[in-house]
Amino acid sequence: MEEKMLLQKQAVIEKQKRLKCIEQKIDNRLRQIADAKESVFDVVKLVQKKACRIVWVKDSLKIQEVLDIEEPLKKLEQQQAEALIFLGKVGVGISKEHLIDRNFGQYDGVFLMLDEEDAFSGDTEILPETLCVSIRFRGGHMEAAEQYRKLMDYVEEHKLTVNGFSREITMIDYGLTNDTEKFVTEISIPVT
């Protein structure tokens, strides 16, 4: 009986750890939503982005409707026991070369930005802390091309150099509201 109780206690401890992780993810998401709601829109800023861990699906992707992002995500999801929708922030990126060429018509990949507490069984990449030009706007991926033009104009005007792929993340989208007027998207481009 004592052995069974010790096994049950261990199971309870493991469950508490999983619940604590879920609580942290909920807190992270609530902070992200609050941050998005307080956004200043359509203003290009220089910001220091913290280091982060991502999972990158290198696929060319043209987003013409919401479901276009689903196929690359299925590739990630097949590798995981834990649901990706809950894992982190999904984003899309345009390569450095396409940014410089001002080719904003398609994305070069989809990535998942992982929280510290996320366990991911596939390959991950650490993006170092970096300086970025960044803009937030009302809308989603289908309205992003004009924002990329603003960012690249700022880069050229301030004699900056693009230093990596863009990080475009919808902070508020269909996961939270069906009202597209309330969508908030952020695009960041690493620069030196």
Side-chain angles (χ1 to χ4, degrees):
M1 186 59 140
E2 182 181 6
E3 190 177 318
K4 286 183 181 181
M5 289 177 77
L6 287 171
L7 287 173
Q8 285 179 332
K9 180 178 179 179
Q10 188 60 42
V12 167
I13 290 169
E14 290 301 315
K15 193 172 276 193
Q16 285 174 328
K17 285 180 188 175
R18 284 193 304 274
L19 289 172
K20 187 65 178 168
C21 180
I22 291 169
E23 179 186 18
Q24 289 173 330
K25 292 194 70 49
I26 290 169
D27 286 343
N28 291 343
R29 187 65 173 134
L30 287 170
R31 277 192 294 278
Q32 180 189 2
I33 293 166
D35 181 33
K37 288 167 63 176
E38 295 174 11
S39 294
V40 175
F41 297 109
D42 303 316
V43 176
V44 177
K45 297 187 220 178
L46 272 175
V47 296
Q48 194 71 25
K49 289 288 184 176
K50 293 180 184 177
C52 62
R53 187 169 56 116
I54 67 165
V55 177
W56 184 252
V57 179
K58 292 179 179 159
D59 273 347
S60 181
L61 178 70
K62 193 169 209 159
I63 298 180
Q64 295 175 331
E65 57 182 61
V66 178
L67 296 177
D68 289 340
I69 203 168
E70 294 299 318
E71 191 59 36
L73 291 178
K74 286 180 186 175
K75 289 181 183 180
L76 284 178
E77 201 164 27
Q78 290 168 357
Q79 305 169 19
Q80 302 304 308
E82 190 176 345
L84 284 179
I85 300 304
F86 200 61
L87 267 176
K89 298 179 277 187
V90 177
V92 290
I94 297 176
S95 70
K96 172 183 174 178
E97 295 75 24
H98 288 151
L99 290 168
I100 292 168
D101 291 343
R102 291 181 171 254
N103 181 0
F104 312 131
Q106 75 178 38
Y107 297 95
D108 296 302
V110 177
F111 63 89
L112 181 68
M113 192 171 289
L114 301 170
D115 289 324
E116 287 179 34
E117 58 273 3
D118 287 327
F120 187 85
S121 61
D123 293 334
T124 63
E125 182 179 335
I126 303 292
L127 298 180
E129 182 172 327
T130 188
L131 183 66
C132 291
V133 290
S134 189
I135 193 167
R136 289 185 181 179
F137 62 97
R138 290 253 183 229
H141 301 301
M142 292 172 278
E143 293 83 28
E146 179 58 34
Q147 306 305 320
Y148 277 101
R149 281 188 272 286
K150 290 178 189 177
L151 288 166
M152 291 307 294
D153 287 348
Y154 185 96
V155 165
E156 289 175 13
E157 184 179 318
H158 291 86
K159 300 192 183 341
L160 299 169
T161 303
V162 174
N163 201 22
F165 69 90
S166 66
R167 304 168 193 177
E168 181 180 328
I169 297 172
T170 53
M171 301 171 75
I172 295 178
D173 61 8
Y174 282 112
L176 295 173
T177 180
N178 287 330
D179 185 353
T180 57
E181 298 293 315
K182 293 183 180 176
F183 283 15
V184 177
T185 300
E186 178 181 72
I187 302 172
S188 299
I189 299 174
V191 292
T192 52

